[in-house]
Amino acid sequence: MAETDVLLVGAGPVGSVAAIELVRRGVRCRLVDALPEPPRYAKAVGIQPRTLEVFESMGLLREFLDASVQLRGQLTYVNGAPAGRLELALPPEVPFGFVGLPQYETERILAERLAAMATRVERGTTLVGFTQDQDGVDAVLRGPGGEQAVRARYLVGCDGAHSTVRKTLGLTFEGAAFTEQYMLGDVELDWSQPPGYGVRATHQTDGVTDDGLVCIPLPGHHRYRVSMQVPPELAVAAGPDGIEHGFRSGPGPDLADIQAVLDRLSPEPVTASRLRWSSAFRISHRIVDSYSRGRVFVAGDAAHIHPPTGAQGMNTGIQDAHNLAWKLALAVAGEGSADLLASYDAERRPVGEEVVGRTVRHAKDGFGNDDADPERFLLREAQLLIDYRDSPVVTASPSGTRMPPAGTRAPDARGLTRAAVAFPFRLFTLFTGTGHTALVYLDSTAEIADLERTLERLRTEAGGHLDSYLIVAPDTEPVPTVPPLVCDRDGDFAHRYRPEPGTLFLVRPDGYLGYVGSPTDPALARHLTATFATARTTG
């Protein structure tokens, strides 16, 4: 029987991100996928700013920015007349914008990184079934060479809406299907719409929408992913498990089908050409009752499915994987607390529930109609407002503080400097390691010796999975220190974090604040104990 630390089922973006994050932390993984070849259709095309932050922390930002196109906004037309313009303009402190990239390109970039890490996707390999005990999971795989038994310490199902892992676990998947069916195509459109803007064109009768067209920019010359209602002859049957979600097998719509909809709904005369792929699909909205049982977890579409409005699905799944992987790595090493893995469900299932509910509302009532604050709306769609303050592994911040609360995304900051670096840099560039990061703000260097001893003790309690930096005010005299000294040259860190002198900001590997407060507060010891098994033996 082959053995591995983590068996990952499904090599789409979710499973691939989980594999990269585990392997870069030294975890042995097997990544299997039922498809003999990667799919060539673009199930997802939007990458959110928060996901670009994740890719930056993984060392993949350049590859994704090189391959993608900036999404600048959306133009809305009703019955051929302009009806609105949405600008995807985020506050200046957010480092990245929205980009468009076909899902198969996302998968290509992730697969290339896995190959560089000597990890391959075992294609044409399905999960037949599994059982688990208190020490691990026994799975049976069926691949090109026949059936094989695998013993893994943990199993993660990233195997989509029709997940074998979810069904074998006996998780419920409550929800319903939309009656409308849709078709997609990847085409070039010879119109005069501004580059980088999506187009949403609908037809209404007596104020009720009865026909629609959505065009999302893709990399390339006048290239778009178009979505529209499907004609009856291309209707999609429900899946074999009764879950009406996913793409149709067999031929998709042709250029004539797409052109007919463009002729009805386009805001200007346009011709579609160079059809790269097409398909018809159905949409459901469902979510599991739990993201884990025992040593088995589900992520991405295996845990939540919903309408594609706002490009939330793939991004939510990637962040499921990013949240789970660092916790699994600590568990595999025997360095995570007994309750750490349970925090995956506690943190991510509320996010999934919110995304499912929001995308269903948007599909029925219109994109963004439920939020009167344009900036908050965009930050939410960018997945920058996710909040883990109720998590069992987040320690509540002191009351009355103006600092970012524990459980929220750690803000970026610009204009930082350090010894031997000739240019200012961003705070997020310090977060590319695999462990936690401790930031302590000082307005003088008087207490550095005591802080050095405190931070070294914290590193020991975190099992070595901790990097530390002292952030000092611009007028502080630089001195050699361990941990490194970083100068807040432009005061942007002080502006974003509003720190009190001596405050410790403990940033988790997924970029969220786990603790905010004094490094000598007993609450910090409790926080470390909730996260690291090593804190119990050294604290």
Side-chain angles (χ1 to χ4, degrees):
M1 177 181 292
E3 292 193 4
T4 190
D5 291 326
V6 180
L7 174 61
L8 295 151
V9 182
V14 178
S16 296
V17 165
I20 291 169
E21 287 295 273
L22 288 166
V23 171
R24 69 193 286 250
R25 289 172 168 83
V27 177
R28 297 174 304 160
C29 291
R30 290 186 65 178
L31 178 59
V32 303
D33 195 282
L35 294 176
E37 297 291 339
R40 292 301 300 171
Y41 51 78
K43 181 181 177 184
V45 296
I47 298 180
Q48 304 291 357
R50 175 60 192 148
T51 305
L52 289 177
E53 294 177 359
V54 169
F55 290 150
E56 181 180 35
S57 74
M58 296 170 65
L60 286 167
L61 178 64
R62 177 184 61 82
E63 289 86 344
F64 278 97
L65 291 180
D66 286 353
S68 61
V69 61
Q70 183 181 3
L71 300 180
R72 300 178 181 275
Q74 178 177 274
L75 306 174
T76 303
Y77 298 87
V78 176
N79 296 344
R85 182 183 183 112
L86 172 66
E87 300 290 342
L88 296 177
L90 291 164
E93 66 268 19
V94 177
F96 308 116
F98 300 80
V99 300
L101 185 68
Q103 180 173 325
Y104 53 79
E105 284 292 286
T106 293
E107 294 185 16
R108 175 189 62 79
I109 292 170
L110 296 173
E112 289 176 355
R113 175 54 57 91
L114 281 169
M117 302 169 79
T119 302
R120 67 181 182 90
V121 178
E122 300 177 44
R123 292 211 164 269
T125 302
T126 60
L127 175 70
V128 176
F130 65 85
T131 59
Q132 63 172 313
D133 55 44
Q134 63 180 1
D135 298 316
V137 181
D138 292 303
V140 176
L141 301 176
R142 181 182 296 125
E147 289 194 353
Q148 179 188 31
V150 177
R151 175 73 171 177
R153 298 179 67 179
Y154 298 95
L155 170 65
V156 183
C158 310
D159 48 344
H162 307 284
S163 169
T164 298
V165 174
R166 183 188 65 242
K167 295 170 190 173
T168 305
L169 271 184
L171 302 176
T172 63
F173 205 37
E174 297 297 327
F178 284 81
T179 57
E180 299 87 357
Q181 298 189 30
Y182 300 89
M183 59 185 184
L184 296 176
D186 180 334
V187 296
E188 291 181 9
L189 301 177
D190 64 347
W191 59 14
S192 63
Q193 299 297 307
Y197 283 80
V199 172
R200 179 183 178 89
T202 60
H203 181 271
Q204 294 184 355
T205 302
D206 297 328
V208 177
T209 299
D210 50 29
D211 202 358
L213 164 71
V214 177
C215 307
I216 305 298
L218 295 176
H221 181 68
H222 283 228
R223 186 178 168 195
Y224 291 82
R225 203 283 300 276
V226 296
S227 173
M228 56 204 73
Q229 293 184 19
V230 73
E233 64 271 18
L234 293 174
V236 184
D241 53 7
I243 296 174
E244 301 174 88
H245 192 86
F247 285 86
R248 153 188 181 157
S249 60
D254 56 27
L255 267 177
D257 297 312
I258 293 171
Q259 187 65 52
V261 179
L262 290 167
D263 291 343
R264 291 198 311 268
L265 294 172
S266 174
E268 62 177 283
V270 62
T271 300
S273 62
R274 297 179 62 86
L275 177 65
R276 290 171 174 82
W277 62 264
S278 65
S279 185
F281 69 102
R282 304 183 72 137
I283 297 172
S284 293
H285 55 93
R286 296 178 182 272
I287 189 163
V288 291
D289 56 327
S290 176
Y291 276 33
S292 65
R293 270 190 195 159
R295 290 176 169 264
V296 182
F297 305 82
V298 289
D301 284 0
H304 46 78
I305 54 176
H306 44 80
T309 46
Q312 299 294 299
M314 180 187 74
N315 292 272
T316 300
I318 285 173
Q319 290 171 59
D320 290 342
H322 199 234
N323 180 288
L324 177 60
W326 69 268
K327 299 172 182 178
L328 272 178
L330 285 176
V332 166
E335 297 174 337
S337 73
D339 299 326
L340 181 61
L341 290 179
S343 71
Y344 170 62
D345 176 79
E347 292 180 351
R348 293 304 299 173
R349 187 153 54 96
V351 174
E353 290 170 344
E354 191 276 333
V355 168
V356 170
R358 171 158 45 94
T359 55
V360 169
R361 290 194 304 273
H362 286 173
K364 292 179 177 178
D365 303 329
F367 189 57
N369 283 357
D370 60 345
D371 200 324
D373 182 342
E375 182 174 298
R376 179 177 173 80
F377 162 69
L378 282 181
L379 290 172
R380 186 189 63 191
E381 295 301 312
Q383 300 196 342
L384 296 168
L385 299 182
I386 292 170
D387 189 333
Y388 299 144
R389 274 180 275 190
D390 293 331
S391 168
V393 295
V394 166
T395 299
S397 298
S399 60
T401 179
R402 296 174 59 246
M403 298 181 287
T408 61
R409 164 185 166 271
D412 198 8
R414 304 178 187 181
L416 304 179
T417 61
R418 63 185 299 180
V421 177
F423 51 84
F425 59 90
R426 294 170 40 242
L427 180 66
F428 277 9
T429 62
L430 301 178
F431 297 166
T432 56
T434 58
H436 285 61
T437 304
L439 308 172
V440 180
Y441 182 79
L442 300 174
D443 56 4
S444 74
T445 57
E447 305 298 325
I448 281 182
D450 289 341
L451 274 173
E452 286 178 333
R453 289 189 290 271
T454 298
L455 289 171
E456 182 57 34
R457 175 178 56 80
L458 296 182
R459 179 176 172 81
T460 301
E461 293 183 5
H465 303 289
L466 179 70
D467 295 320
S468 302
Y469 297 92
L470 301 179
I471 313 294
V472 296
D475 55 354
T476 304
E477 183 69 25
V479 296
T481 63
V482 179
L485 196 73
V486 174
C487 179
D488 184 23
R489 186 197 70 173
D490 296 344
D492 198 43
F493 181 91
H495 177 65
R496 303 297 170 201
Y497 281 77
R498 300 179 294 277
E500 299 167 3
T503 298
L504 167 70
F505 299 90
L506 191 60
V507 184
R508 307 185 332 177
D510 56 2
Y512 289 84
L513 291 163
Y515 173 85
V516 176
S518 168
T520 59
D521 192 319
L524 176 57
R526 293 193 296 271
H527 174 75
L528 294 171
T529 300
T531 305
F532 299 101
T534 46
R536 287 191 172 92
T537 59
T538 62

